[in-house]
Structure formats: C-alpha cells, structure tokens
Amino acid sequence: MNVLPRAATYLQLNARLIDRLRFEALFSGGSRERVLSVLRGYQNADGGFGNALEPDLRGAASQPEPVEVAFWILDELDAFSDPMVPAACDYLASVTAKDGGVPFVLPSVRDMPRAPWWETEDDPPGNLVPTASLVGLLHKHGVEHPWLGPATEFCWSAIARIAETTPYEARAVVTFLDLVPDRDRALAEFTRLKESILATVSFDPGASGHAHFPLDYAPAPLRLPLFTDDVLSQHLDVLEAAQSADGGWSGNWLMWTPIVAHEWGGYVTVLRLKTLRAYGRSVGGGA
C-alpha cells in the first residue's frame, strides 16, 4: 500500500508544521520533542492555548477548546508529564463556570476572527464540550490537579441529566465514559444512554454534509461496546478508500476561509492515519 507516502506528500504541500512533525513522530520515527516544542508555541502565558491551534478560532487568546486539541496531541505522544499540562489545568480552573465545568467558548471569542458557530452568551455555563473530553484524558494519564475533581463531578451530573443528545456532546460523553476510572458508574450511564448516543451517529458511509460517523466516536478501539465489529470494518474500508488523489483527508464541515481547509486537512489526515493503524489496518511505517 502507498497510503503513507501519499499522505506524506499531501502534508508537505498543505499542512502546518505541527501536523507535519506529528506525522513524522507517529509514523516515521521523528522527534516527539520537536512536536512538543512547536505545541508550546501555541500556549499562552495564562496556560491556555490559542493562536489557531483549533483552526476555526483564529485569534491569539486562550479558549477552552484549543486546550482539548492540545490534550489530544499530548495523548498521542504519551506526554502528559509535560509542564504544559498543569499550566493548562490552571487555566481551565481560571475560566471554570460556577457549575464546575468550562464553557464551550468564552465571550472573548467576539474579539477574534472565527467560524460562525463560535458564539456564546455573556456568562456561559459549563459544557460537556469540551469539559468531558478534557477530564477523560486527564484521568487516562493519571494527572492530579485541583481542577479535576470538581470537573469530574460536573461531568457526572451533566451526563445524568441527558435524555437526548447531539453529536458533539455524545462524542464528548463517549470519551469521558470510556476513560473515567469509575467503571461501574460509567457502564451504568453508558447502558442508559447508548440508544440516545447511537441516534446521533450517521451509519450510512455515503451520508453527505456534516455527518458524524462511527469512527468519529471511536477513532481508536473503545472499552465501551458502542459499535459492532461489522460496523467498524465497513467504515474502516470506506475511510481507506476516502484518501484523496493528492494523499489527504479533509473535514466534512464548512471551510469558511481558505486557510482552514489546509490546516484542518493536515490535522484530519494525521487523525485518519492514526485511526487506520489503531484498528490494525496496514498503513506502513512505525513510530
């Protein structure tokens, strides 16, 4: 298969430095420290992340969602011992709402160029997006920080109130329930919510528009029994076939300004390669 060489060419022509270095670290023995060095450039003095690490938030100022992007990069490098993590947790504590969660987006977003869906009220409450994913990743890596306990309780309380959900919230809930240490409680909530979560999934691989497919919820194998092997296998076949002629994969949401198509393309291409390898599909190479 020529998946990796084609992807490498695509990334060289289109992707940000951080995504090119991630690819090298994960698939061709490149330096993980170089990825971390570049990631530090996106972290602000307050400990948060900004500077278009999340490509649809173009401003320099910190926001909660770019912290999640940073945490996923740290996760793939097994680098949660890096000093960036406690600094980011300090930032999260500084922007946490009274209910114990961090908002989806802070009002300071109004001062920056951004995609049209980044809107908020003046005093936004905590949101499972991105709180649940942040909490799950911190638990996965055994991080201890004063922010984590109250944020975990926020997630349990918010999840307990869910009857029907939305795709992004469902994806965050799956991450939390898959990674949180209290497995009995996690499985009980998962059992209660499984049908509501599945109702947000697009099982038709040919669905158009901003669809959310099984591999978006499970980009690597889950501990939770969310999808059958047959479903995952079908969508992995489709994912392999979706590599474009120029070697990349792209997001299926609105690319509202030209630069984000390139930046998301690089990020998504590395994500898709990680998913194929996580499920045992041959892409070649090795970290």
Side-chain angles (χ1 to χ4, degrees), residues 230-253:
D230 287 347
V231 166
L232 292 170
S233 181
Q234 178 191 25
H235 283 266
L236 286 163
D237 290 343
V238 172
L239 180 60
E240 283 186 277
Q243 187 178 23
S244 65
D246 58 2
W249 286 263
S250 60
N252 62 351
W253 55 91

Side-chain angles (χ1 to χ4, degrees), residues 80-149:
F80 268 70
S81 61
D82 192 278
M84 283 186 280
V85 174
C89 290
D90 289 345
Y91 164 74
L92 295 172
S94 76
V95 299
T96 293
K98 294 177 182 178
D99 56 17
V102 294
F104 168 62
V105 64
L106 302 173
S108 58
V109 76
R110 298 166 185 161
D111 299 327
M112 64 179 69
R114 64 199 186 277
W117 49 86
W118 292 104
E119 301 292 346
T120 186
E121 56 196 271
D122 290 337
D123 187 20
N127 198 305
L128 286 167
V129 182
T131 309
S133 297
L134 295 167
V135 168
L137 288 167
L138 290 169
H139 279 300
K140 175 183 177 180
H141 292 276
V143 174
E144 296 183 0
H145 189 277
W147 178 76
L148 184 56

Side-chain angles (χ1 to χ4, degrees), residues 178-265:
D178 194 55
L179 299 177
V180 72
D182 189 340
R183 299 314 303 154
D184 290 341
R185 191 174 183 182
L187 288 171
E189 285 290 6
F190 172 74
T191 300
R192 182 180 69 84
L193 290 173
K194 182 176 181 180
E195 293 307 314
S196 295
I197 292 169
L198 291 175
T200 70
V201 180
S202 296
F203 286 94
D204 176 4
S208 60
H210 192 186
H212 297 254
F213 300 106
L215 294 173
D216 295 319
Y217 296 74
L222 300 171
R223 290 190 285 181
L224 301 172
L226 184 57
F227 302 113
T228 66
D229 290 344
D230 287 347
V231 166
L232 292 170
S233 181
Q234 178 191 25
H235 283 266
L236 286 163
D237 290 343
V238 172
L239 180 60
E240 283 186 277
Q243 187 178 23
S244 65
D246 58 2
W249 286 263
S250 60
N252 62 351
W253 55 91
L254 174 66
M255 299 298 160
W256 57 280
T257 192
I259 189 64
V260 303
H262 292 284
E263 294 187 351
W264 276 125

